[in-house]
Amino acid sequence: MKRVNSYRRLPKQACLAVIGMALMASGCGAKTESPKTEPAQVQAAPEPVTVKFFPTLPFSDEDFDKIVVQPVKKLYPHITIERHRTSLDNILTTGDIPDIIQTHNGELQRYMDLGILSPIDDLVKKHDVDLNRFDPVVIDSLRTEDGKLLGLPYAINFTALYYNKDLFDKFGVPYPKDGMTWLDAIEVGKVMSRQDGGVTYRGLDPENIGRIVRQMGMDYSDSKTMKSTMMNPNWKTMFEIGKAIYTIPGNEVSDVNGDYLKSFFSGTIAMTARVNVLDQLEAPTKQGLNWDLAQYPNIPGIPNVGGDVDPHMLVIPPTAKHRDAAILVAKAMTHDETQLLMVKTTARLSPLKSAANKEAFASEKPYLQGKRLDSIFKNHPIRSPMRTKYFGQTGPIAKEAFKAYVAGTIDLNTALRQADEKINAYLAGQAGK
């Protein structure tokens, strides 16, 4: 039998009476529990803090405001940025340690020895810094041998082959192509090195031997053994490439360790292979330099490697007063929005994996429109070594040996052996210091 709910049998008037009695009972004497509500948790506003920021690399006021000050103001309004305009020596002397230092990875070992650098893994974990957003080879290059992270990159350098289109047109030579090896570039350099109308034109400038060295991820000494690396066979390859460039007839220079970028700007160098100089090309472009770029030449047998990781990075001293605020500054500088703005307007390369950053690269730099910027991304960086704190002292020893080799006063084996002996002697003299 179909069950019928009993309330359906009551007359309409009875139903209303029952409801009325229930309402009266609820309003007279009957106590009911009101739902308990927890008091709203009010998040206390962070205490205002001033972070001392010390740039050791070129950082224009305009870019500093764009990449540091404004992003921090937007994301962490309780933080005020104070730009430290001093020297590292003054910081060490006075003990006025900044909260964050902008530097490059070649300084990491020296900073550790000076006591102004320590791992930031605790801060990364505490403040949820997502390292998976970064190119892993870049992050790995900033780790110690036991895997501790020493800093956070906000930009990375790249290499390219810049060339003067007017000179190639003038001499009827095809423009440089992507995918060339150094041997290919040298052959083009031979064709472009000449005198014309009383002007000497150099065909190829490699910046310096130190830039080529970075294509093999080399340091002049090993940070583990504290011994010279000059007897590594890779040095022979690099010295030979360098000499082949500087001994092209008509391509000679007075000092192979000099920098001849201004000669490219003035129109007397056909090709220069070097690190990012896009920010320096605005004025020459407006003055009539008709240039473009191609993929940086590869070492034969090692395709598509432009160099080792060369980052602009942020480190936080262990004795900084505001380490937590400092990592928030680093987060703001590596925020997606900040990075996109940076690559669009400053032509810096982002360390993030984002494809959008590559697509937008230099898109708001009018003088770079129409340039073959995609050539930059055909090379990739390799892991850089942990350079010793004596990088600045051992490099010149190797470069002087290279200079003598190019000049022909010593042969290749002698040059490498003498550099090896001098570097080892120097390092031995520093032991225990």
Side-chain angles (χ1 to χ4, degrees), residues 3 5 32 45 47 52 68 120 132 143 167 171 225 239 289 297 306 316 336 349 361 369 377 414 419 423 433:
R3 183 177 179 181
N5 289 336
T32 59
E47 289 290 327
K52 294 181 179 180
V68 186
I120 60 170
N132 292 321
R143 293 188 184 278
L167 289 184
F171 300 129
T225 64
F239 269 39
L289 179 65
I316 301 173
D336 286 344
L349 207 60
F361 183 74
Q369 302 316 299
F377 301 103
T414 302
I423 288 174
K433 289 187 179 181

Side-chain angles (χ1 to χ4, degrees), residues 66-76 127-131 133-134 152-155 314 326-344 348-354 356-357:
K66 185 184 303 179
I67 301 172
V68 186
V69 177
Q70 295 307 319
V72 170
K73 183 182 293 185
K74 180 177 181 179
L75 295 171
Y76 307 106
H127 294 280
D128 298 319
V129 179
D130 184 4
L131 298 180
R133 298 168 55 239
F134 295 81
L152 207 62
Y154 72 91
L314 308 164
I327 195 67
L328 295 182
V329 172
K331 282 189 72 173
M333 292 177 64
T334 56
H335 188 274
D336 286 344
E337 186 177 317
T338 308
Q339 288 286 296
L340 188 58
L341 177 68
M342 180 188 76
V343 299
K344 284 181 177 180
R348 288 177 170 89
L349 207 60
S350 172
L352 303 185
K353 294 185 289 188
S354 169
N357 287 331

Side-chain angles (χ1 to χ4, degrees), residues 272-294:
T272 182
R274 60 178 55 240
V275 75
N276 180 10
V277 292
L278 294 182
D279 62 324
Q280 300 181 54
L281 278 162
E282 182 170 12
T285 302
K286 291 179 178 178
Q287 293 164 8
L289 179 65
N290 184 19
W291 64 277
D292 212 329
L293 51 77

